[in-house]
Amino acid sequence: MALKKKPVTGMKDILPREMEIRNYVMNMIRETYGTFGFSAIETPCVEHIENLCSKQGGENEKLIFKILKRGEKLKLDKAESEADLVDSGLRYDLTVPLSRYYSNNANELPAPFKALQMGNVWRADRPQRGRFRQFMQCDIDILGEPTYLAEIELVLATTTLLGKLDFHNFTIRINDRKILKAMAQYSGFPQESFDTVFIILDKMDKIGLEGVAEELEKEGFAKDCIDTYLGMFQEITSDIQGVRFCKDKLKDVLDPKVAEDLETIITTVESVKSADFKMAFDPTLVRGMSYYTGPIFEISMDEFGGSVGGGGRYDEMIGKFTGNNTSACGFSIGFERIVMLLLERDYQIPTKNGKKAYLIEKNMPADKLLKILEQAREERNAGTQVNISIMKKNKKFQKDQMNAEGYTEFVEFFRDKM
Amino acid sequence: MALKKKPVTGMKDILPREMEIRNYVMNMIRETYGTFGFSAIETPCVEHIENLCSKQGGENEKLIFKILKRGEKLKLDKAESEADLVDSGLRYDLTVPLSRYYSNNANELPAPFKALQMGNVWRADRPQRGRFRQFMQCDIDILGEPTYLAEIELVLATTTLLGKLDFHNFTIRINDRKILKAMAQYSGFPQESFDTVFIILDKMDKIGLEGVAEELEKEGFAKDCIDTYLGMFQEITSDIQGVRFCKDKLKDVLDPKVAEDLETIITTVESVKSADFKMAFDPTLVRGMSYYTGPIFEISMDEFGGSVGGGGRYDEMIGKFTGNNTSACGFSIGFERIVMLLLERDYQIPTKNGKKAYLIEKNMPADKLLKILEQAREERNAGTQVNISIMKKNKKFQKDQMNAEGYTEFVEFFRDKM
């Protein structure tokens, strides 16, 4: 039989050691976010193709794993395009399904609703090291809370979690899509080209101020627009003064409340935080998805050269399903990156109970086996992990192997010594 | 926009209350099976279509959600059948992926290997009440242990778990595929029609002895075969005497060790068990899948008119991948049924820490909000679930709603009283 041993391209088998870390992180997530009042929910992994292709997903919509129609619905002979063959697909994020979920279940949910989702998503990205086509996402969202209380709680919950997982000295970069737009407007860019401007601005990290200037020129934007725009970025500091500068400078194009709220979010989080990190105002922060409408944020960690999570306010997406706008704000942590960093650090999970291996000589009579199992029962009931195996000829190898699995204590049972 | 609010046909959105129970059960599973030395692993939800259609899956192979090839691999104009369009699908069980996983990773795994898998599987069954097209399976398997130590440990682990989840008075029905075959052989049925005989025998629960006799006759089997066969079932008791009867009666067609081992499994489990259930020898137990090679078992619960789990030994499946047979034995509990039964009982999860709701008057000044958040920080760090919301006009409704979510303690904060 031509059975295949490897997982499908770009997906992976998870070995016990990684799984231990994953379960530890998942438990910590549930526990920590639980104390912030988030309730776990779940949506199916399979979603209507119409919802997945609703333009909310941006570039991800090109990466959907599509599922073939079944039975009579599949008319292969009449199918002219891919779209005729499929009616569903694997979700590529948890935000689109959350919007559908909320519109379907709002009557049975409290308002505001604080949702915690942990689940796999699938994207047919080009496979590369450390990036997989199936990966876990972990989102918290507050639906129905229009004030900055939502942003503050999301950032506090996320950073408390990271602190508990032993991450320190990271930065939460924060901006507001309204400031982003006001800066472009103030500089004189035409409204319809904002998206183009932001795509270029988003590269600031990589290509620097001069690179951004060059690319904006290449797009044909006026020199004085570009100069005004980039001049501001040079003046804005990453602290509260930077936010105040924007409030003042952009007063003709920006509601001052936007800057005031951002200031409150930053100062409040800085005062209440229980982890070791800093908040930084970053006017170059764009966040790819066009659905964001207010504050946006991202976690930067030196240990990892990039973002390990982000989120923001998206007050208009749920309205696409329900017809009524519902304020919404979410924060997603990069679960896979966090697990990867912990694995690289060889992170030791704090455990309460020991791991013990019982090695039993071959052909142990049933009455003696019974005694061994009774002993194991008592230890297991007390919480000890007891792994019972038949003793092998190469006992040393067997013990070494079990040692690698974390079994440090061995108890041996022989037929004649019981 | 034509967005769809309902989940795709046959799949469901999971609300917070059910999710709490699910997470509780999952934690109990990880904890309990952990004490028995099982290690959690995971395989991708997407599996090669060749592996899914390898005839190991029986009827489930008709229910596969198939995934469209991507990019250049999809040649719609040349596709003549469904098979030309797909190269993968969603797994319909965890056993086929486990066999692939083991064949792919055996070098990095201990031997014997005790695996715990919890994960979703998908079957395009006709939707019906309480049955969904996406559902969680929970399997434990011991790979590389040829002796009955595997069966004993699997049954003890599973029943200990059920006891901890407050299930009592259930029955573990047990049989051996070798006894099943020996009985058919002893009665004179031709070897090639065993499967037909077993499919009919499997209906004993529903149609009774006479119904089975009738259907066997309809298939054209000889009257004396049928009489000998059904005569035995009337004589065999569901205790150890029944096993001994088989050993004696079938001595010309059955290795006595098969019956002896079965007796040891039953008596050992009965002596060591830490939950309240009984073992019953059931010679009519068939277990659908043809891959079973030795002992098979099933959990019967009066509360639920059917099986809430089962398993058995399948020593030949892994060889299909590796070329070398590896002994294997597994037990799968009906996760969804267990969750359903706990929900129906309105099961109260034991919790250590309280749930508190903070209600804050609207437009609370930032400095006062800070104080509230600091108070929340202390309570959250101590493990209390603190849910902070803005006070609504209809405070009574708001409190009632939060009460339904389990928040029993309310703390109110007013602008002028701080």
Side-chain angles (χ1 to χ4, degrees):
Chain A
M1 280 200 227
L3 296 185
K4 295 190 172 179
K5 292 187 184 185
K6 295 275 164 209
V8 296
T9 313
M11 303 193 192
K12 69 169 174 179
D13 287 336
I14 302 177
L15 291 167
R17 166 67 184 148
E18 177 177 340
M19 204 62 202
E20 250 177 37
I21 296 265
R22 296 174 79 89
N23 282 332
Y24 175 74
V25 175
M26 282 192 269
N27 280 334
M28 192 61 93
I29 288 171
R30 264 189 292 267
E31 191 186 300
T32 307
Y33 289 164
T35 66
F36 281 81
F38 289 90
S39 303
I41 63 158
E42 223 177 81
T43 64
C45 300
V46 180
E47 189 52 74
H48 298 288
I49 199 76
E50 296 88 337
N51 295 353
L52 293 175
C53 298
S54 65
K55 307 266 178 286
Q56 302 297 312
E59 290 296 299
N60 293 331
E61 297 194 0
K62 295 179 189 158
L63 307 174
I64 303 170
F65 285 99
K66 294 176 180 171
I67 295 174
L68 208 63
K69 286 180 183 175
R70 291 187 45 85
E72 291 173 3
K73 286 186 191 163
L74 180 66
K75 295 189 177 69
L76 184 51
D77 48 332
K78 289 183 191 157
E80 287 170 12
S81 74
E82 225 178 88
D84 298 326
L85 298 170
V86 301
D87 51 9
S88 62
L90 294 175
R91 61 186 179 196
Y92 49 75
D93 76 1
L94 301 178
T95 309
V96 170
L98 175 68
S99 301
R100 187 196 53 63
Y101 177 98
Y102 190 72
S103 72
N104 187 34
N105 300 294
N107 286 340
E108 296 178 61
L109 299 171
F113 178 52
K114 297 179 183 170
L116 160 61
Q117 294 182 89
M118 281 191 279
N120 284 316
V121 302
W122 291 263
R123 293 181 195 167
D125 254 320
R126 200 158 42 85
Q128 47 185 303
R129 216 186 89 79
R131 268 185 107 159
F132 293 94
R133 289 180 159 195
Q134 170 178 315
F135 59 98
M136 175 81 86
Q137 276 205 336
C138 171
D139 289 11
I140 42 176
D141 292 89
I142 303 182
L143 308 182
E145 176 52 65
T147 78
Y148 52 62
L149 179 59
E151 281 82 353
I152 292 172
E153 288 272 86
L154 288 167
V155 175
L156 285 176
T158 303
T159 53
T160 301
L161 170 71
L162 289 172
K164 285 192 188 175
L165 291 172
D166 243 351
F167 289 99
H168 308 287
N169 293 318
F170 53 90
T171 304
I172 304 286
R173 293 155 63 210
I174 190 164
N175 192 12
D176 191 302
R177 292 285 292 194
K178 294 199 178 94
I179 293 179
L180 200 67
K181 284 184 185 166
M183 283 179 72
Q185 194 182 340
Y186 178 87
S187 308
F189 291 106
Q191 188 114 26
E192 63 277 12
S193 59
F194 281 5
D195 280 342
T196 315
V197 175
F198 298 156
I199 289 170
I200 295 170
L201 179 66
D202 206 14
K203 302 181 190 169
M204 186 76 90
D205 273 5
K206 287 172 197 147
I207 61 176
L209 208 68
E210 281 176 31
V212 171
E214 227 168 83
E215 291 209 13
L216 287 173
E217 275 167 42
K218 235 185 267 169
E219 283 291 329
F221 292 115
K223 182 95 177 48
D224 60 331
C225 280
I226 299 174
D227 287 346
T228 312
Y229 196 50
L230 298 184
M232 273 192 286
F233 288 108
Q234 285 177 296
E235 279 191 81
I236 299 171
T237 52
S238 69
D239 54 9
I240 290 303
Q241 297 311 323
V243 181
R244 288 184 188 160
F245 174 90
C246 288
K247 180 181 165 186
D248 188 49
K249 186 91 170 177
L250 305 171
K251 62 180 179 293
D252 295 334
V253 287
L254 179 73
D255 179 353
K257 201 173 174 307
V258 172
E260 287 160 14
D261 282 2
L262 192 60
E263 183 175 335
T264 304
I265 294 169
I266 294 173
T267 52
T268 308
V269 169
E270 284 282 9
S271 305
V272 183
K273 69 185 182 187
S274 54
D276 177 22
F277 69 96
K278 65 173 198 287
M279 296 288 290
F281 172 50
D282 183 351
T284 71
L285 183 66
V286 173
R287 300 282 303 154
M289 310 307 282
S290 60
Y291 55 62
Y292 288 118
T293 56
I296 47 180
F297 22 81
E298 209 165 275
I299 313 167
S300 290
M301 224 174 255
D302 283 344
E303 232 183 310
F304 184 85
S307 157
V308 289
R313 184 168 280 279
Y314 55 101
D315 282 346
E316 281 158 25
M317 191 197 278
I318 292 173
K320 300 257 159 66
F321 283 90
T322 59
N324 301 316
N325 277 348
T326 299
S327 30
C329 194
F331 205 142
S332 177
I333 55 154
F335 181 87
E336 301 289 348
R337 286 171 193 186
I338 285 168
V339 167
M340 206 188 72
L341 289 171
L342 292 176
L343 276 169
E344 282 174 4
R345 280 191 207 171
D346 197 19
Y347 189 76
Q348 295 305 312
I349 297 170
T351 47
K352 286 177 304 223
N353 302 306
K355 287 176 99 171
K356 236 180 218 187
Y358 284 14
L359 299 183
I360 305 178
E361 197 180 6
K362 235 177 148 180
N363 301 322
M364 184 65 74
D367 58 327
K368 291 182 177 173
L369 178 63
L370 194 63
K371 291 222 173 68
I372 298 167
L373 287 166
E374 279 169 349
Q375 185 175 331
R377 180 187 60 201
E378 302 314 313
E379 297 215 63
R380 286 166 172 168
N381 284 346
T384 305
Q385 295 191 18
V386 180
N387 197 336
I388 308 181
S389 315
I390 307 294
M391 209 175 280
K392 291 188 191 170
K393 275 184 194 161
N394 190 343
K395 198 163 67 181
K396 189 182 173 306
F397 178 76
Q398 187 177 17
K399 284 185 173 181
D400 286 348
Q401 209 178 31
M402 298 203 75
N403 215 294
E405 298 290 307
Y407 290 92
T408 47
E409 207 176 324
F410 293 89
V411 189
E412 301 183 11
F413 297 90
F414 297 93
R415 279 194 303 274
D416 299 336
K417 290 187 203 157
M418 287 199 63
Chain B
M1 281 202 226
L3 296 184
K4 294 189 170 177
K5 292 187 186 188
K6 297 274 164 210
V8 296
T9 314
M11 302 194 191
K12 71 168 170 176
D13 287 335
I14 302 177
L15 290 168
R17 166 67 183 146
E18 178 176 341
M19 204 63 203
E20 249 176 39
I21 297 265
R22 296 174 80 90
N23 281 332
Y24 175 74
V25 174
M26 282 191 269
N27 280 334
M28 191 63 94
I29 287 170
R30 263 189 292 266
E31 189 186 301
T32 307
Y33 289 164
T35 66
F36 281 82
F38 288 91
S39 303
I41 62 157
E42 223 177 81
T43 64
C45 300
V46 179
E47 189 53 75
H48 298 288
I49 200 75
E50 295 89 337
N51 294 353
L52 293 175
C53 297
S54 65
K55 306 269 178 285
Q56 301 298 313
E59 289 297 298
N60 293 331
E61 297 193 0
K62 295 178 188 158
L63 307 175
I64 302 171
F65 285 99
K66 294 177 182 170
I67 295 174
L68 208 62
K69 287 181 183 173
R70 292 186 46 83
E72 290 173 4
K73 288 185 188 163
L74 180 66
K75 295 189 175 68
L76 184 52
D77 48 331
K78 289 184 191 158
E80 285 171 13
S81 75
E82 224 176 89
D84 299 325
L85 298 171
V86 301
D87 51 10
S88 62
L90 294 175
R91 62 186 179 198
Y92 49 74
D93 76 0
L94 301 178
T95 308
V96 171
L98 174 67
S99 301
R100 186 195 53 66
Y101 177 96
Y102 190 72
S103 71
N104 187 35
N105 300 293
N107 287 341
E108 296 179 61
L109 299 171
F113 178 53
K114 297 181 182 168
L116 160 60
Q117 293 183 90
M118 282 192 277
N120 283 316
V121 302
W122 290 264
R123 294 180 194 167
D125 254 321
R126 199 158 43 84
Q128 47 185 303
R129 217 187 88 78
R131 268 185 108 159
F132 293 93
R133 290 179 158 197
Q134 169 178 315
F135 59 97
M136 175 80 88
Q137 274 204 339
C138 172
D139 289 11
I140 42 177
D141 292 88
I142 302 182
L143 308 182
E145 177 51 66
T147 78
Y148 52 61
L149 179 59
E151 280 83 352
I152 292 172
E153 288 271 88
L154 288 168
V155 175
L156 285 176
T158 303
T159 54
T160 301
L161 170 72
L162 289 172
K164 285 194 188 174
L165 291 172
D166 241 352
F167 288 98
H168 309 285
N169 292 317
F170 53 91
T171 304
I172 304 285
R173 293 156 63 212
I174 190 165
N175 193 13
D176 192 301
R177 291 284 293 196
K178 295 199 177 93
I179 294 180
L180 200 68
K181 283 183 186 168
M183 284 179 71
Q185 193 182 341
Y186 178 88
S187 308
F189 291 105
Q191 189 113 28
E192 64 277 13
S193 59
F194 280 5
D195 278 341
T196 314
V197 174
F198 298 156
I199 289 169
I200 295 169
L201 178 66
D202 205 16
K203 302 181 190 170
M204 186 77 91
D205 272 6
K206 288 173 195 146
I207 62 176
L209 209 66
E210 282 176 30
V212 171
E214 227 168 83
E215 291 208 15
L216 287 173
E217 275 166 42
K218 235 185 268 169
E219 284 290 330
F221 293 116
K223 181 96 177 49
D224 58 333
C225 279
I226 300 174
D227 287 348
T228 312
Y229 196 50
L230 298 183
M232 273 192 287
F233 288 108
Q234 284 177 298
E235 280 191 80
I236 299 171
T237 53
S238 69
D239 53 11
I240 289 301
Q241 297 310 321
V243 181
R244 289 183 185 160
F245 174 91
C246 287
K247 178 181 167 186
D248 188 49
K249 186 89 169 181
L250 305 170
K251 61 180 179 295
D252 295 335
V253 287
L254 179 72
D255 179 353
K257 199 173 176 308
V258 172
E260 287 160 14
D261 282 1
L262 192 60
E263 185 175 332
T264 304
I265 294 170
I266 294 173
T267 53
T268 308
V269 169
E270 284 282 9
S271 305
V272 184
K273 70 185 180 186
S274 55
D276 177 23
F277 68 96
K278 64 172 198 289
M279 295 288 291
F281 172 50
D282 183 351
T284 71
L285 183 66
V286 174
R287 300 283 302 157
M289 310 308 281
S290 60
Y291 55 64
Y292 288 118
T293 56
I296 46 179
F297 23 79
E298 208 165 276
I299 312 166
S300 290
M301 225 174 254
D302 283 344
E303 233 181 308
F304 184 85
S307 156
V308 289
R313 184 169 281 279
Y314 55 102
D315 282 346
E316 283 159 23
M317 192 197 278
I318 292 173
K320 299 259 158 67
F321 283 90
T322 58
N324 300 317
N325 276 348
T326 301
S327 27
C329 193
F331 205 142
S332 176
I333 56 154
F335 181 87
E336 301 289 346
R337 286 170 193 185
I338 285 168
V339 167
M340 205 189 71
L341 289 170
L342 292 176
L343 276 169
E344 280 173 4
R345 281 190 202 169
D346 196 21
Y347 190 76
Q348 295 305 312
I349 296 170
T351 46
K352 286 177 302 219
N353 301 309
K355 288 176 97 171
K356 238 182 218 186
Y358 284 13
L359 298 183
I360 305 179
E361 198 180 5
K362 234 176 147 178
N363 300 322
M364 184 67 73
D367 59 326
K368 291 181 177 173
L369 178 65
L370 193 64
K371 292 224 171 67
I372 299 167
L373 287 166
E374 280 169 349
Q375 186 176 330
R377 180 187 59 201
E378 302 315 312
E379 298 214 62
R380 284 166 172 168
N381 284 346
T384 305
Q385 295 191 17
V386 180
N387 197 335
I388 309 181
S389 315
I390 307 293
M391 210 175 277
K392 290 188 191 167
K393 276 185 191 161
N394 190 342
K395 198 163 67 183
K396 189 181 173 306
F397 177 77
Q398 186 178 15
K399 284 184 171 181
D400 287 349
Q401 210 179 28
M402 298 203 75
N403 215 294
E405 299 291 308
Y407 291 92
T408 47
E409 206 177 323
F410 293 89
V411 189
E412 301 183 12
F413 298 90
F414 297 93
R415 279 193 303 276
D416 300 335
K417 288 185 206 159
M418 286 198 63

